[in-house]
Amino acid sequence: MRVFTSLALGSVLALGVVAAAGAATPAEPIVDVGRLDYGLKARALAPGVWVVEGANADFTVQNGCNIINIGFIATGKGVVVINTGVSKRQGEQLRALIARTTPEPVIKVVQLNLHPDYFLGHQAFADVPRLATPVTRAGVAREASAYEDNLYRLCGDWMKDTKTLAPTVDWEIPSGGQARSWKVGQREFELREWTGHTDSDVVLIDKQSGVAFVGGLVFATRIPTTPHAKVGPWLESLKALEALGLRTVVPSHGPVHQGAEGIAQTRRYLQWLDGHFKKAAEQGLEMNELLRTPVPEEFKGWAAFSTEYTRNVAHLYPVYEREVLKRGR
């Protein structure tokens, strides 16, 4: 069994991106473990556009393993849901929340990448089309079983009856960040697909409001997850994303914020990590030695540092070691 140990979040700094940008206070869920109630709340970012914020913390039984920001948008013809959460129960509670928030029915679900908290809530949306890129659909088919096993281990009863319900429709988006216009009801969206965090990272921008759901390309005041990461392409994708001049940015993990600060934070971290790992590999350091080397205070203060940085080393440092060995030969 493959162990999936990415996507963990720690506590976010009190003065993070949200405070710096003057954004509204997140609608933190109030979890009832005894009742297995996620306490989901919808916060309006613009007319007809809502975010449902997850805990800025690691996967725990206490938070229901709900650590992802989910979106939904009323189009006049029905609701488009952006990701569905980590479990069948979360998907069901999300759908009930949507029904309480808008009279429009759910007509489409979109999945921005292959990671499990983007799609394990799909069971609650079995009656509507579920869209993902062909690359993401292939990734779900390849990795879903391992995701299920490990999340049952981490999250316990919250995962009861959760089984993968795969996306059903190929979401055709030009590669390389080229824009595709996508109209649903009275809403027009701009879609772009980049790589780096995974092999298919979709960004969805609501043209009417300027709200951008950027998935895993941007991490705000938290350490990025890297099980499928390629640092060079990721940095190129961030450069292209920044050039769009986004207004309101909804990352999958970390606070919603205004402008490019989350992009800049993610870039700073990846650039430091790239240089740090290259130097360590050239010096011949082993992983345990690398973990004992200093890390900038900025990054140590971000959410999930104690767990996610260790995973970054495990996921990525072997790539740098192999490159040094290849050059040596």
Side-chain angles (χ1 to χ4, degrees), residues 41-322:
K41 299 178 182 180
R43 177 163 70 95
L45 299 178
V49 181
W50 293 269
V51 64
V52 182
E53 288 145 310
N56 221 344
D58 202 347
F59 282 133
T60 68
V61 171
Q62 286 67 38
N63 62 33
C65 289
N66 170 25
I67 61 172
I68 187 170
N69 297 326
I70 292 168
F72 63 96
I73 300 175
T75 70
K77 291 290 183 69
V79 172
V80 173
V81 180
I82 305 162
N83 305 321
T84 59
V86 75
S87 69
K88 177 177 182 284
R89 184 177 297 273
Q90 185 175 1
E92 291 169 344
Q93 293 181 20
L94 170 64
R95 191 151 191 184
L97 173 65
I98 295 169
R100 295 194 301 271
T101 306
T102 172
E104 294 187 20
V106 174
I107 58 171
K108 293 183 188 296
V109 167
V110 299
Q111 180 181 331
L112 300 185
N113 73 37
L114 62 80
H115 287 159
D117 43 357
Y118 290 61
F119 73 86
L120 282 176
H122 281 6
Q123 283 172 280
F125 300 89
D127 58 327
V128 298
R130 300 176 302 280
L131 286 67
T133 66
V135 172
T136 289
R137 292 186 69 193
V140 170
R142 183 178 64 246
E143 310 223 17
S145 178
Y147 292 160
E148 292 173 16
D149 290 344
N150 286 281
L151 285 168
Y152 267 91
R153 177 178 57 82
L154 289 169
C155 310
D157 287 348
W158 292 98
M159 299 299 295
K160 186 177 180 181
D161 299 324
T162 298
K163 296 180 181 178
T164 296
L165 186 66
T168 54
V169 179
D170 279 341
W171 209 12
E172 299 291 351
I173 304 171
S175 62
Q178 300 177 68
R180 175 197 164 185
S181 181
W182 187 51
K183 190 167 184 180
V184 182
Q186 298 167 8
R187 293 272 183 176
E188 186 175 356
F189 303 102
E190 181 178 315
L191 307 177
R192 295 178 184 263
E193 181 195 26
W194 279 291
T195 64
H197 174 57
T198 73
D199 287 335
S200 178
D201 295 296
V202 175
V203 169
L204 181 149
I205 305 168
D206 174 47
K207 289 190 173 183
Q208 181 175 322
S209 66
V211 176
F213 291 87
V214 300
L217 284 173
V218 176
F219 286 75
T221 57
R222 69 95 68 217
I223 301 299
T225 58
T226 54
H228 301 96
K230 297 179 177 65
V231 173
W234 195 344
L235 287 168
E236 289 299 313
S237 296
L238 289 173
K239 181 179 179 181
L241 185 62
E242 184 176 38
L244 299 182
L246 300 178
R247 188 188 313 167
T248 302
V249 177
V250 184
S252 289
H253 304 287
V256 177
H257 55 279
Q258 303 297 309
E261 180 56 25
I263 295 173
Q265 289 181 343
T266 308
R267 179 193 297 115
R268 284 199 301 275
Y269 180 77
L270 293 175
Q271 287 176 334
W272 169 79
L273 183 146
D274 184 53
H276 187 57
F277 284 12
K278 282 178 180 175
K279 182 177 179 181
E282 288 166 356
Q283 293 174 341
L285 298 187
E286 297 180 352
M287 281 190 188
N288 286 335
E289 294 173 308
L290 174 59
L291 286 167
R292 292 195 293 269
T293 60
V295 175
E297 290 299 318
E298 177 188 15
F299 307 141
K300 288 170 67 176
W302 288 359
F305 172 76
S306 62
T307 52
E308 206 63 68
Y309 176 61
T310 301
R311 293 169 185 150
N312 293 167
V313 172
H315 295 148
L316 296 179
Y317 190 53
V319 176
Y320 292 84
E321 292 179 305
R322 286 194 294 271

